[in-house]
Each structure stands twice: as structure tokens, then as C-alpha cells.
Amino acid sequence: MKMTKGSKRKFQHWQVVRLLLMVYDFAAVIVSFGIALWLRFDCKVTSVEPQYLTTYTKTIIIYALFCLVVFCFLRLYKSIWRFASYSELLRVILATVVTGVIYTGSLLVFNLHMPISYYVIGITVQFIATLGIRFFYRFVLLLRGRTNNEVQKKNVMIIGAGSAGQMLFRDIKHAKETNETVACFIDDNPNKWDRYIDDVPVFGSRDHILEAVDKFNIEKIYVAVPSANPQDKRDILRVCNETSCELMNLPGMYQLYTGQVSVSKMKKVQIEDLLGRDPIKPNMDEVFAYVRNKVVLITGVGSIGSELARQIASHNPKQLILFDIYENNAYDIQLELRKKYPNLDLVTLIGSVRDSRKMFDLFKKYRPQIVYHAAAHKHVPLMEDSPCESIKNNAMGTYKTAYAAMVHGCEKFVLISTDKAVNPTNIMGASKRLCEMIIQAFAAKIKEGKAYEIPQLFTHEKDMIEKTEIKEALKTTTTEFVAVRFGNVLGSNGSVIPIFKRQIEAGGPVTVTHPDIIRYFMTIPEAVSLVLLAGTYAHGGEIFVLDMGEPIKITTLARNLIRLSGYTPDVDIKLEFTGLRPGEKLYEEKLMAEEGLKKTKNDLIHIGCPIPFDINEFLDELDGLLDAAYRNEDDIRERVQKIVSTYHPA
């Protein structure tokens, strides 16, 4: 309550309520014991004996004032009675007992005797009067709220009748702004079935979700099972996804531990929640200890490169260099990082990995210790139409960047590869397999101490750097090269999810190339975790492979996304099959059969054993491939097929 000169005193609403409640309690105490005396003498005031009436009138005012003091001490005037519960009941009982005992004892001490029934009836009526007004207030508010909002409120279901579900239920129940009412609970514990939480039934297990949706006209489902294992949670979400209800999910146990279970903490169910495997959650302490105080270069700052930049920037690199030919990507992530990490030494450069002189200048000036090479053309159909660009940018861009890194003493070079490099049927996949072979060849030459034998494949003047200078540097180079191979990334630039979302927003149809096409999927954070881990595990020449579980049919993915958007597949939004695109396979493979697997510290990350190939012959053939690509020869696919034996154009 604030006062300013010349202003009137203004009371808050709760202060007015408290004052009125104190007046009521004062009157209720006086009336309660008056009723007790009246009842004792057969409801006739004239029958009350004079000494009892005198004792009552002399003591009752003092007693009523004493009750107000006790009530204040026990905080009966500070409770929010619209939320009155068990603790408020206990405080009213305690207040009644304390005041009643002291009143009775005081009269006896001063030899002011009253009938025993006077004390019993008076204390009882006082308790009923003081408690009743408080809980009656809550009852009226709840009844009024139900009556006012009964028509417009939507029915919701809470899956999980445990602690999280009950917290969420109370939040929905007491929130003024919500237009929702909880119609039922679902829980897999049979001991809770056919029982009630505040008049709301626990209808049954996850097997009864569809039945409950129909019976209670459910429009929205809250999944509040933070302790469930990932497989159980996915099974529940998939059942819910069969309905047309809006789905909301509690992220995890953290919200339960901190008591932050509320409607505002729920998030919409995302397509990645329906993946057929557990998310990868590696211990990243080792990774971030490795990048701390290092100069780190990231080439290509699209979806993966940007997430790499975010995670590395948060762990104190000495300097972070972003390099991309597309200025919009570079500018967006530059603005984001400068705002979030104002003390970060951030360098953003525009250029092409195909420019030998640019790459040499970059490495000479900044001397990056770790390189994450994500720059590449990745769109399969577009590369089928421009195969030479795929070779120039992917294969030769990797060669030139890796060579510059090796010459200038880079410690680790991590190549971002793809499962499309396995038995490729398209030129993009074949170009990425060439990238893997390049880093394997570089790693092998370094281990043999013959890095100086690696040819300089430059399209600019051959003497731009003294060969003797390069050879001296290559005699002592120890750069460790590694590739990281994974599948499709959900939500990345060019992935199917954004395309499907745009098609759904436009009212359909959603286009899928083939009803049987399948793909492995992972989230952007998972992909970046794998890339970062590869940098610490690398000893040179490895291809790291993620165990991505079972592949998912693209039709299943499309139908799930349509349901998550609130539509019914094949009714509201149609699916159309357009036929396989040039170079596209029905399925992708994570690993060539010949490679085999080795374990790492992480059970979900493996190392593919390199397929042997003649390194000297391979390096010699690259020179001719480079010339053919820059001359835009029509037989570029045939040339690539001679070098990459596993490449079989579709």
C-alpha cells in the first residue's frame, strides 16, 4: 500500500477481504457462545441464569479479541482461500483448540463457572463458523468458474496420474486464462484404474487412449510421464498420434524435480519424438575440454555447421572462424553468436573451399588447430544435373582444404560425410565417398611419413607456394584426419520435414517419391555430438558411424507429421507418390559390408575399418578427375566410377 502526498489511502483487494474476515470472526465468536448459552437453557433467553449471562457479557468481548490475535499469529488472514486445502484446515483446528482451551481455563482460574455444555457447544459452533466461511468462499468460486466456463472449455486428457500429472492437473484447474478442463487420466498402473482424482476418472491404460478420446470428446492430450523410458514414451505418443488431438509433451524429469510442471512448460510433440530409437546423449565433457582455448575453423555454416558453431562457442575456444560462400548463412550465425557470446573471438569469412589461394591464406593467417569441414553440395537431384560441380566443390574442395590444413600444422581435420557415400547410386554420394578416400589417403601418407608425396592439385599457378617450403612442412606434419558418417538430419536445410510442413500449410498434397522408400534419421544436436566426439576419438583415417537404429519409412514420417499438424492423412491431406528422383535409392546404408565395425567408448558410435585401395594410384587419378571436372566433361560419371569401385549410377 503506497502513499503519496495529497493522495488518498488505497487498500489492496486482499486487505479489504482480510478486514472483513476479521470483523466476521469477531462477530462469529460472540454469536457462537451466545448460541451455546441459548441452547443450554432450552432456547429461551429469559431462562438463562443471571450469573451465567453476566459472565458471558463480561468475558466474550475480551475472548473474541484474543481469538483475532491467535488467528493472526496462525496466518489465517494471509491464506489465499480460493486455494484452501489440508494445511488451512489444520490451522483452523489448531486455532480453535488453542483459543477454546485458554478461554475455558481462564474462566476456571477466575472462578467464573459456566455449564460444560457452554464450552462444548460454543467451541464447536465457533469452529464451524470460522472454517465454513473460508471453504464456502472457495466452493462458490469453483462452482462459479465451472458454471461460467462449462460451455466453451475444451476437454483434455492427461496421460500419467503420478506426481507430474497431478501437478499439471492442478495448474489447469486453477489457471484463470485456460479454456480447458481435464476430462480423464490415463495411467498404466492398474491400481489407479476406475479411481478418481478430484472427481476426474483414471480411465485405464495406454490401450484405452483411443476409447477415452471418443468417450470424453478429447481435443487435447498432455503427456506427463517424465520417468518413462524412451521406448514407452514413443509408444504412447504413437498411439496418441492416431487421434486428431493436439499433443503436448513434458520434456523430462528436470521439470518434475524442480516442481516446474505446468501448462507453460509443456511443449508440442515434435516429429523427432516419434523416432524409432533412443536419442544419443554422450558425455561431452571430454569434447569441450578438447576445444577449449583452441583455434577452430568451421567450413560451411548451414544446419550442421551452425549447430557446431553454437556448441563450440559456448565452451571457450581461443578463436572461432566461420567460413562459407553463402553470406546469408554466415551473417545469421555471426549475429546470433555475437549477441550471445560478446567476448568470443569470432571471425566470419566469405569464400570458396575450391579456391586454393584463399584456403592457404586463411590457414597461414589464423593457424586453426581443429577443422570441421561441413562445406559441400548435398542436394542429390540437383547434383545429378550438375555432376561436375559436385566433384569440384565436394571432392576437390575437401582436397584443397585438407592440404592447406596439413601444410599449416592443423591438429585435427574432421570431414562431415553421409550414408549416401555407401554404395552410392548418385554423383553426390560418390563425391562424398571420394572425400572419405581423400582423408584416408592423407592419413595413410602421414603415418608413413610421406605426406610430401601427396600431389598439389591446384587450378591456379603451380608455383604460388615454394615447393621446398611445403615439403619441409609436410615432413613433420601430424594432422589427424577423420570422417563422420550419418544419415538424414531432421529439420536441416533441404530435409524432407520443412518440405512436408510447407505442403501441409498449403493444404497438400504431401509428395513422397515412393511408398517403400526408407531413410535413417537423426536430430541436428545428435549429428553435432557425433562430429565433436569424432574429433576427440580420432587417431587418423577412421570413418565414424552412428548406430541410428531402425530406418523409418518416409510415408510413415509424412503421415505422422500430418497428424501432428492436426489433420487426418488421406482425408484432410492427401499423399501423392511422384516416383524416385534421378540417383535416388529406396534405402540408404550406413556402412559398406566390407568395412566391418569397431567399438568406441560410446556404444552407439562405431568405427568402420577402411576398405583398402591403392593410395598412390588414387592420388594420381584425382589429377585427371580435377581437370575433367573443370573442363565440364560429359563422361565425369564414368571417370568417377573407375576411381570409386562401389559407385553404380542409377
Side-chain angles (χ1 to χ4, degrees):
M1 185 171 62
K2 295 182 179 180
M3 291 288 294
T4 59
K5 189 175 181 179
S7 67
K8 294 182 179 180
R9 184 183 297 269
K10 293 183 179 179
F11 288 91
Q12 298 290 335
H13 174 71
W14 70 269
Q15 292 173 317
V16 175
V17 172
R18 181 176 68 174
L19 184 61
L20 293 174
L21 199 54
M22 292 176 74
V23 172
Y24 169 84
D25 286 341
F26 182 80
V29 171
I30 294 173
V31 172
S32 297
F33 283 87
I35 291 173
L37 203 58
W38 180 62
L39 290 174
R40 169 66 178 76
F41 289 94
D42 302 324
C43 304
K44 295 180 180 178
V45 176
T46 55
S47 299
V48 179
E49 296 182 13
Q51 69 270 25
Y52 293 146
L53 189 58
T54 301
T55 300
Y56 168 75
T57 56
K58 284 183 177 180
T59 61
I60 196 62
I61 299 297
I62 298 172
Y63 172 63
L65 292 172
F66 172 71
C67 286
L68 296 185
V69 173
V70 173
F71 289 1
C72 286
F73 180 76
L74 292 175
R75 304 196 309 276
L76 293 186
Y77 299 118
K78 290 189 176 181
S79 294
I80 301 175
W81 289 100
R82 69 169 62 239
F83 303 128
S85 61
Y86 184 65
S87 62
E88 281 76 21
L89 173 63
L90 289 180
R91 289 207 298 273
V92 174
I93 293 173
L94 180 60
T96 306
V97 170
V98 169
T99 55
V101 169
I102 292 178
Y103 182 48
T104 303
S106 299
L107 293 183
L108 293 176
V109 167
F110 290 101
N111 203 27
L112 299 172
H113 296 287
M114 297 291 281
I116 294 176
S117 59
Y118 170 78
Y119 301 115
V120 174
I121 296 173
I123 291 171
T124 303
V125 176
Q126 175 189 326
F127 172 72
I128 293 172
T130 53
L131 180 69
I133 189 64
R134 289 162 168 82
F135 279 83
F136 180 74
Y137 175 65
R138 177 186 177 184
F139 174 74
V140 169
L141 287 175
L142 290 177
L143 188 63
R144 188 175 66 184
R146 289 179 181 178
T147 303
N148 292 342
N149 298 314
E150 189 173 4
V151 176
Q152 63 264 35
K153 283 194 172 183
K154 64 169 67 170
N155 289 340
V156 303
M157 171 197 294
I158 296 178
I159 297 180
S163 299
Q166 292 181 43
M167 287 183 197
L168 184 62
F169 169 62
R170 286 196 295 271
D171 186 64
I172 294 173
K173 187 176 180 181
H174 297 311
K176 283 185 177 181
E177 64 279 1
T178 185
N179 65 336
E180 301 171 351
T181 181
V182 179
C184 68
F185 285 90
I186 292 291
D187 199 286
D188 283 343
N189 185 350
N191 291 326
K192 298 178 181 178
W193 298 347
D194 298 323
R195 298 172 73 180
Y196 289 82
I197 299 174
D198 246 14
D199 295 329
V200 177
V202 182
F203 188 71
S205 68
R206 71 181 72 172
D207 297 331
H208 298 89
I209 290 175
L210 299 179
E211 181 184 351
V213 167
D214 290 335
K215 180 174 181 178
F216 296 100
N217 296 316
I218 302 297
E219 298 178 61
K220 193 173 186 178
I221 299 175
Y222 288 102
V223 182
V225 283
S227 60
N229 64 56
Q231 183 59 52
D232 283 340
K233 186 174 286 190
R234 277 195 307 275
D235 290 344
I236 291 170
L237 291 175
R238 284 171 178 165
V239 175
C240 294
N241 203 39
E242 294 298 320
T243 72
S244 59
C245 300
E246 182 182 358
L247 292 183
M248 302 294 287
N249 190 20
L250 185 68
M253 288 298 292
Y254 172 77
Q255 284 74 16
L256 181 59
Y257 291 149
T258 57
Q260 296 177 352
V261 178
S262 64
V263 173
S264 63
K265 297 296 179 183
M266 304 295 284
K267 69 180 183 72
K268 283 197 172 186
V269 174
Q270 302 294 324
I271 197 71
E272 53 262 34
D273 294 324
L274 304 174
L275 283 178
R277 59 173 175 77
D278 296 343
I280 293 176
K281 296 179 180 178
N283 184 344
M284 302 298 286
D285 292 343
E286 182 182 1
V287 171
F288 295 129
Y290 177 70
V291 300
R292 191 174 293 119
N293 295 321
K294 295 286 181 68
V295 179
V296 181
L297 167 65
I298 300 172
T299 68
V301 286
S303 305
I304 297 298
S306 294
E307 181 64 20
L308 275 167
R310 292 184 191 99
Q311 294 200 26
I312 292 170
S314 66
H315 289 82
N316 304 313
K318 181 179 179 181
Q319 187 178 55
L320 179 59
I321 306 165
L322 308 180
F323 185 82
D324 201 311
I325 196 169
Y326 184 49
E327 67 272 21
N328 289 357
N329 281 347
Y331 184 63
D332 287 344
I333 190 64
Q334 180 192 55
L335 287 179
E336 178 184 335
L337 295 182
R338 281 185 174 170
K339 181 178 180 180
K340 193 170 184 179
Y341 307 103
N343 297 323
L344 174 67
D345 185 354
L346 179 66
V347 177
T348 307
L349 301 173
I350 301 300
S352 172
V353 293
R354 294 156 58 169
D355 187 338
S356 305
R357 287 175 293 191
K358 180 72 175 179
M359 299 315 298
F360 266 76
D361 289 343
L362 187 158
F363 277 90
K364 185 176 182 180
K365 181 176 181 180
Y366 296 101
R367 297 284 174 172
Q369 296 161 280
I370 306 171
V371 176
Y372 295 100
H373 183 56
H377 288 322
K378 306 178 184 72
H379 198 280
V380 170
L382 288 181
M383 291 304 99
E384 286 301 295
D385 293 333
S386 304
C388 291
E389 295 306 309
S390 184
I391 299 303
K392 290 182 222 176
N393 195 68
N394 294 357
M396 296 310 164
T398 296
Y399 192 102
K400 293 172 182 179
T401 306
Y403 198 96
M406 183 174 58
V407 169
H408 293 92
C410 178
E411 296 175 12
K412 292 280 178 73
F413 185 100
V414 182
L415 167 72
I416 311 298
S417 190
T418 171
D419 55 2
K420 292 177 176 61
V422 183
N423 295 324
T425 58
N426 53 71
I427 195 66
M428 196 286 286
S431 71
K432 295 300 283 185
R433 177 55 189 155
L434 280 171
C435 296
E436 292 180 354
M437 295 171 72
I438 287 167
I439 67 105
Q440 287 177 320
F442 278 38
K445 284 293 185 181
I446 289 172
K447 287 181 179 179
E448 294 173 2
K450 297 179 180 179
Y452 56 85
E453 292 182 356
I454 299 175
Q456 300 176 37
L457 301 183
F458 303 143
T459 54
H460 306 297
E461 50 267 41
K462 299 289 184 179
D463 59 348
M464 67 179 208
I465 297 177
E466 292 293 331
K467 291 186 177 180
T468 54
E469 177 186 338
I470 293 176
K471 286 186 177 181
E472 287 302 315
L474 294 179
K475 286 179 182 178
T476 57
T477 186
T478 58
T479 305
E480 294 176 342
F481 289 93
V482 59
V484 186
R485 185 189 292 164
F486 47 80
N488 298 273
V489 180
L490 287 171
S492 66
N493 295 333
S495 73
V496 295
I497 302 299
I499 296 172
F500 286 167
K501 285 183 177 178
R502 287 195 295 270
Q503 291 175 338
I504 292 169
E505 288 171 2
V510 172
T511 57
V512 180
T513 56
H514 193 283
D516 297 324
I517 193 167
I518 61 175
R519 289 292 182 266
Y520 292 97
F521 283 96
M522 62 190 309
T523 64
I524 292 176
E526 286 177 323
V528 168
S529 296
L530 177 60
V531 170
L532 291 170
L533 280 169
T536 59
Y537 293 172
H539 296 292
E542 301 97 335
I543 297 176
F544 286 85
V545 183
L546 170 64
D547 183 354
M548 293 177 286
E550 296 300 317
I552 298 176
K553 291 185 72 171
I554 300 299
T555 51
T556 302
L557 197 67
R559 293 179 194 279
N560 284 341
L561 195 58
I562 291 170
R563 292 191 186 98
L564 288 177
S565 301
Y567 300 104
T568 302
D570 302 315
V571 178
D572 301 321
I573 303 290
K574 301 290 185 182
L575 259 70
E576 284 188 3
F577 299 103
T578 59
L580 291 176
R581 298 174 298 180
E584 190 172 42
K585 293 193 290 186
L586 278 178
Y587 60 93
E588 302 290 358
E589 301 152 283
K590 293 178 291 185
L591 197 68
M592 298 179 207
E594 308 97 295
E595 286 180 308
L597 287 174
K598 290 181 182 178
K599 288 186 177 181
T600 66
K601 300 175 187 177
N602 191 307
D603 291 338
L604 295 176
I605 299 173
H606 307 280
I607 300 175
C609 300
I611 297 176
F613 59 93
D614 190 316
I615 292 172
N616 292 322
E617 182 181 344
F618 169 72
L619 293 173
D620 289 340
E621 289 173 333
L622 282 180
D623 196 3
L625 185 64
L626 172 68
D627 289 338
Y630 276 93
R631 290 196 307 270
N632 295 307
E633 297 286 356
D634 292 334
D635 65 342
I636 194 70
R637 288 185 177 82
E638 289 74 14
R639 291 173 180 270
V640 172
Q641 195 171 5
K642 289 178 181 179
I643 301 174
V644 181
S645 60
T646 55
Y647 171 43
H648 302 289

